[in-house]
Amino acid sequence: MPDQQSREVEVVWNQCLDIIRESVSPQAYKTWFEPTRPLSLDDSTINIQVPNRFFYEWIDEKYYGVVRKTLMQVLGEEAKLVYHSLEEEMLETPETRSVRLPLPDNGRSGPIPSPRPAAGAMMMPIPSDYSGVELNPRFTFENFVMGECNQLAHAAAKAVADNPGRTRFNPMVIYGGTGLGKTHLAQAIGHEIIRRDRGERIIYTTSERFSLDFVDSIQNHKSNEFNNFYRSAAVLIVDDIQFFANKEATQDNFFHTFNALNQAGKQIILTSDVPPKQLQKVNERLISRFQWGLTTDLQPPDLETRIAILQKMSADEDYHLPSDVIEYIARNITRSVRELEGCLISLLAESSLRGIPLSIDLTRDVIGDIATVQEKSVTPEQIQTEVCELLEIPLSLLTGKSRKQEIVFARQIAMYMIRNLTSASLKSIGNFFGGRDHTTVMHSVNTIENLVKRDDDRVRRTLNTLYQSLGVGYRQ
Ligand code: ADP
Ligand code: MG
């Protein structure tokens, strides 16, 4: 009965959405999963409608693991997901109408494989129940944008990739907040070593996967196989070691794995969300080993890096982001690279859904909410102080009568920023500069505005530095 069927698919998809909602950020859920509609369910194949091609490509790329896990949980091992694009359906081209997006990665057809024994990231698969975790093909050095925030970690990662096990950076621990590129950088080392094809076995895994494998090996009396697998690595990368917390038996095993590899001169690379010595509920003797080599951190991306990352994404994907859009996003989304990506994607989705080009207005609309949360308020006095400090002039000259070119420039910059970053009126801004007339203020603001529009190098750099030192978002 069609009715009953449609209810069934509804229930099943809602069940899936409930699980997905728990596993992704609210923003991601809202952007990518809320617009999906269940169509039908045949055995364990669920048909889902998405607004357009962009959606399923994005969901497939970013949420493949989550969706796969969810479907297996709800529909079992044989689960299949078929996406149908609303846009293409409306074009009435039956042959492209239903897009089959079978879940297994790469193979892209057939039932969802059980997590094991999928080929892992090793270059030389060995017959084993253990396989590590696949590398994300995007996480290469080539795609990693360098900046002040990640310079040291990047350089060390390159050195390790050049000479695994033969630098002082062993183990190499990369730590930093979420979304700052730890997994990317750690995997980039793996990719690079694989690319050079030295015949070494690379194993990339997460502490959770290591722990699951370990427990599994005990239950199935396969401890030897487990140990042989992990201890056969020339390079072992373990992501998110903070999740070793409280898992004492796993830690114990990892301690021995670590020693075995270390003594054999093999390379170990670890990532963590805190520096090793702050790891909670992790055995001291492990922590002390983690500190034998190099511990390096990733900082939140600075403005220049944020711009460079957005430019790279835009170039790679052929999005053609206008420079004012890039700048706007870069100024407003400051916490992590992941957030930066998320924001860009929401924007692209919105532009594609509404069928309108990517403009600064749309950008403001889409990220307005996120941005205001991050925005800090500044006062005219703070702006004056920062300008004086950066341009090395005393406040008395800034607010005084001097017509010297350098002073006039500083004054104009300060007025422009106060106008843009505070709610001060033209008249009151005039008062901050020794009681100047509001038309003078307006002229100053216009002068800088025109230079910004013309992309004047000096103005851009000065403003960038000031925005950054004030820690504020960008408003027009
Ligand atoms: P973490 O593991 O620290 O939580 P990830 O390595 O998963 O963060 O990075 C989050 C996202 O940001 C990924 O898509 C990654 O490709 C991207 N990313 C992080 N740092 C950079 C960088 N320096 N250049 C380009 N992309 C980056
Ligand atoms: Mg990570």
Side-chain angles (χ1 to χ4, degrees):
M1 279 188 49
D3 245 335
Q4 193 182 333
Q5 253 192 15
S6 67
R7 270 204 306 275
E8 193 186 353
V9 66
E10 200 93 30
V11 171
V12 167
W13 187 236
N14 275 339
Q15 245 178 312
C16 293
L17 288 179
D18 282 344
I19 300 173
I20 292 169
R21 195 185 292 118
E22 299 286 301
S23 326
V24 305
S25 74
Q27 194 200 346
Y29 181 81
K30 194 161 173 282
T31 310
W32 302 110
F33 294 99
E34 246 176 41
T36 60
R37 298 282 168 267
L39 295 174
S40 63
L41 182 68
D42 317 309
D43 292 332
S44 46
T45 301
I46 187 161
N47 293 280
I48 299 298
Q49 187 177 67
V50 291
N52 59 32
R53 177 182 287 268
F54 190 71
F55 270 75
Y56 64 71
E57 285 175 358
W58 188 258
I59 295 177
D60 183 45
E61 184 180 335
K62 292 285 174 176
Y63 304 106
Y64 170 76
V66 172
V67 173
R68 182 172 85 167
K69 196 186 80 199
T70 305
L71 285 176
M72 278 175 61
Q73 200 172 326
V74 176
L75 286 170
E77 299 260 319
E78 296 294 306
K80 251 185 260 170
L81 176 61
V82 180
Y83 291 103
H84 299 257
S85 150
L86 181 63
E87 217 171 58
E88 282 160 12
E89 208 159 61
M90 290 191 310
L91 292 173
E92 289 186 293
T93 48
E95 64 281 6
T96 54
R97 204 183 71 184
S98 112
V99 183
R100 180 123 184 257
L101 200 99
L103 280 167
D105 226 345
N106 307 327
R108 311 226 156 218
S109 71
I112 297 164
S114 62
R116 221 173 274 145
M122 313 81 57
M123 356 179 357
M124 303 186 310
I126 42 165
S128 165
D129 274 358
Y130 304 102
S131 65
V133 176
E134 273 179 51
L135 295 182
N136 183 328
R138 227 170 29 87
F139 289 175
T140 57
F141 277 122
E142 205 181 24
N143 289 336
F144 191 85
V145 175
M146 238 193 315
E148 230 174 275
C149 54
N150 58 34
Q151 216 166 15
L152 181 66
H154 178 267
K158 280 270 198 191
V160 166
D162 284 344
N163 270 313
R166 288 188 293 277
T167 66
R168 278 177 299 125
F169 310 152
N170 197 13
M172 173 176 181
V173 181
I174 306 167
Y175 76 90
T178 172
L180 296 184
K182 302 182 294 294
T183 300
H184 189 141
L185 198 55
Q187 291 200 5
I189 302 175
H191 277 299
E192 182 63 21
I193 296 171
I194 291 170
R195 196 179 65 80
R196 298 195 185 181
D197 198 7
R198 299 194 194 92
E200 291 150 327
R201 185 188 311 285
I202 321 292
I203 299 176
Y204 168 82
T205 190
T206 62
S207 61
E208 287 154 307
R209 177 59 182 269
F210 184 91
S211 171
L212 284 176
D213 279 357
F214 172 67
V215 172
D216 178 278
S217 78
I218 304 266
Q219 282 166 356
N220 296 308
H221 310 288
K222 288 186 171 171
S223 299
N224 278 343
E225 198 178 325
F226 173 86
N227 289 337
N228 289 342
F229 175 72
Y230 281 103
R231 294 174 198 180
S232 69
V235 180
L236 175 63
I237 308 172
V238 184
D239 209 349
D240 288 324
I241 53 170
Q242 71 271 14
F243 296 126
F244 274 142
N246 285 321
K247 295 176 182 140
E248 277 149 37
T250 304
Q251 287 181 29
D252 221 42
N253 182 287
F254 189 67
F255 177 76
H256 295 296
T257 303
F258 185 103
N259 289 343
L261 290 174
N262 192 271
Q263 275 157 24
K266 308 300 185 191
Q267 179 71 46
I268 297 173
I269 298 152
L270 308 168
T271 79
S272 163
D273 66 351
V274 290
K277 55 175 174 292
Q278 282 173 28
L279 282 166
Q280 301 288 318
K281 315 272 182 202
V282 172
N283 195 313
E284 273 303 322
R285 60 182 192 166
L286 257 185
I287 292 183
S288 101
R289 273 164 175 71
F290 293 162
Q291 294 172 300
W292 277 356
L294 174 80
T295 297
T296 175
D297 68 328
L298 291 173
Q299 288 291 323
D302 46 275
L303 180 68
E304 273 176 16
T305 312
R306 297 199 297 275
I307 291 178
I309 287 172
L310 289 166
Q311 279 167 342
K312 176 147 184 45
M313 287 180 198
S314 132
D316 287 353
E317 307 289 334
D318 256 349
Y319 296 143
H320 301 301
L321 285 184
S323 62
D324 56 345
V325 169
I326 291 192
E327 173 128 1
Y328 187 88
I329 303 175
R331 287 200 180 285
N332 285 286
I333 308 294
T334 55
R335 280 182 295 226
S336 79
V337 183
R338 184 173 294 134
E339 243 176 53
L340 214 55
E341 282 184 350
C343 165
L344 179 57
I345 293 314
S346 306
L347 194 61
L348 294 168
E350 198 67 21
S351 140
S352 126
L353 268 179
R354 292 200 215 162
I356 51 176
L358 250 170
S359 65
I360 186 83
D361 284 339
L362 180 71
T363 312
R364 273 210 202 94
D365 243 28
V366 171
I367 69 171
D369 297 343
I370 319 170
T372 35
V373 177
Q374 293 198 357
E375 253 167 29
K376 242 174 52 182
S377 59
V378 285
T379 62
E381 290 90 344
Q382 276 172 310
I383 294 172
Q384 287 181 324
T385 312
E386 284 298 333
V387 171
C388 289
E389 210 161 278
L390 178 71
L391 301 176
E392 295 178 343
I393 55 169
L395 184 65
S396 57
L397 279 185
L398 187 79
T399 59
K401 301 258 175 273
S402 167
R403 299 292 313 153
K404 267 179 72 183
Q405 217 184 341
E406 284 313 296
I407 310 290
V408 172
F409 175 73
R411 204 178 284 140
Q412 289 175 336
I413 286 276
M415 288 182 175
Y416 169 86
M417 288 189 72
I418 296 175
R419 179 70 178 153
N420 279 299
L421 294 173
T422 74
S423 51
S425 65
L426 292 172
K427 186 167 181 308
S428 66
I429 296 175
N431 291 336
F432 280 106
F433 293 84
R436 284 184 158 78
D437 191 73
H438 79 273
T439 52
T440 313
V441 177
M442 198 150 71
H443 173 73
S444 301
V445 172
N446 286 342
T447 306
I448 301 297
E449 228 157 53
N450 285 333
L451 289 169
V452 169
K453 278 191 194 130
R454 269 191 269 141
D455 213 17
D456 180 271
D457 200 44
R458 178 172 175 221
V459 167
R460 172 183 291 273
R461 267 186 290 119
T462 309
L463 288 175
N464 278 352
T465 313
L466 289 166
Y467 282 126
Q468 214 175 352
S469 51
L470 286 162
V472 290
Y474 179 63
R475 273 187 231 159
Q476 283 206 329

